[in-house]
Amino acid sequence: METVDDKNSVSRKQKKDLVTQPEDELVQDTKSFAGNAFVGKLSDFVKKVANVNPIRYILNWARMYSLWPTHITTSCCCTEFGAASGPRFDMERFGLIQAVGGARQSDLLVIEGTISYKMLPRLERVWEQMPAPKYSIAMGACALSGGLYYDSYNVVPGIDKYLPVDVYLPGCPPRPEALIQSVLLLREKIGRSRIE
Amino acid sequence: MSKENPIKKIETPPSIDITEDLGGPRCTIEDEEKFLNRIKKELDSKIISASIPRLGRINVEVAPEKIIEVALYLKIQALYDAPMSVAAVDFPEEEIFEIIYHLMSYSAKQSRSSIIQLRTKIPRENPHSPSLIKIWAGVEWHERETHEMFGIVFEGHPDLGGLLLPEDWNDIPPLRKDYILPFYRKEKENEGASKEEKK
């Protein structure tokens, strides 16, 4: 048993190193990017420039005001999503465009409803198809924790083990207002985020 | 298949609506009893029992060897042309599976409110039952699902592949009574251990 513990501790340390090192480098780089601007790769340089505050603000502003959603619908939350993009609640006021594009043209994944283990590889595939600045909202109790089916043999108890989730939206199903609030939260997050 | 292939009879269906003489758009209990008596008379040797548990339901129990003949009779003579569902019930103490076909009719002259439950009992170990896919094509996915959830093999079914469970499922079929949900497995193991300790 001891050996296993040792191995675990070592791997944790290594992981810590892996996590901490690049952050430190980034901090240093951003401080003195002007000096070595033309030495590094062009993409690094672009990143550094994009993270300068006014430029970062403009880019984030552009992103957060036109979120193109794609939605994986496996259960009843889709009715609320549909209602939210209808004229009564009108999500477009808040910068969430109606779900008209495919996964390759969108940057927001709304996961609505129960994800079964058979559905999970398909969901991951959709997530991997989406281009890089991408965000996800887990909508409804089933997507958060399995919901009613938390002890089922075929339902994923919470998709955050498999996908990065930006906003958790509880409810069974959540009201369209709640969906709008989650989009506002996501926009806040995008506005504060670094550009990578 | 044996020499006497009952499925071949489908090619020349006599299609006599035996519900025609009952009259009226909806069944009363008297109508259903008339219908039941007729079924009993004509299928005398083939069915084990037939009864009316309540209005709108007719229970027909058959042996698995006779199920194709009875199903043919119900489709061609009684015009029961729509299979609504295929269900299975697990009785671990009696060591049987009961397969239930729920049948409904669209084309009978009297638009029937009654649903036939065609039941058959098969042993729990190595469960085999003849598939009814050549009589009702709509039964395909239902039988596939029943195969997946209970492990019952329907002989003559073209494709009993996976339908709802993940492709890499390696466990006993999940709707059997002796399947323990993974969520409760540790609990059950602990319970078993504690019981043994008490003994």
Side-chain angles (χ1 to χ4, degrees), chain A residues 73-86:
Chain A
T73 298
T74 44
S75 56
C76 48
C77 287
C78 72
T79 57
E80 305 298 323
F81 187 87
S85 53

Side-chain angles (χ1 to χ4, degrees), chain A residues 14-48:
Chain A
Q14 282 173 344
K15 274 182 190 171
K16 267 190 180 176
D17 292 342
L18 281 174
V19 172
T20 49
Q21 268 180 353
E23 275 184 3
D24 294 341
E25 279 175 14
L26 274 176
V27 171
Q28 284 173 2
D29 285 351
T30 43
K31 277 176 185 169
S32 60
F33 75 91
N36 56 5
F38 298 101
V39 180
K41 285 184 212 164
L42 187 64
S43 60
D44 291 347
F45 172 65
V46 172
K47 259 184 211 171
K48 283 166 195 167

Side-chain angles (χ1 to χ4, degrees), chain A residues 31-139:
Chain A
K31 277 176 185 169
S32 60
F33 75 91
N36 56 5
F38 298 101
V39 180
K41 285 184 212 164
L42 187 64
S43 60
D44 291 347
F45 172 65
V46 172
K47 259 184 211 171
K48 283 166 195 167
V49 172
N51 274 313
V52 178
N53 254 353
I55 301 174
R56 188 178 71 103
Y57 174 77
I58 291 166
L59 284 173
N60 279 339
W61 175 84
R63 276 177 189 174
M64 71 196 225
Y65 272 89
S66 74
L67 285 167
W68 285 72
T70 185
H71 56 146
I72 283 263
T73 298
T74 44
S75 56
C76 48
C77 287
C78 72
T79 57
E80 305 298 323
F81 187 87
S85 53
R88 180 157 186 160
F89 296 99
D90 194 15
M91 275 194 306
E92 282 194 39
R93 287 178 299 166
F94 304 99
L96 191 69
I97 293 164
Q98 288 184 2
V100 287
R104 287 171 198 277
Q105 291 124 32
S106 47
D107 46 12
L108 170 64
L109 180 64
V110 185
I111 301 150
E112 301 155 9
T114 330
I115 302 294
S116 65
Y117 280 111
K118 181 137 187 169
M119 189 69 193
L120 186 63
R122 282 83 183 170
L123 175 65
E124 281 171 347
R125 196 167 188 176
V126 169
W127 175 252
E128 280 155 16
Q129 278 178 356
M130 287 164 60
K134 53 188 174 183
Y135 315 97
S136 69
I137 293 176
M139 183 178 180

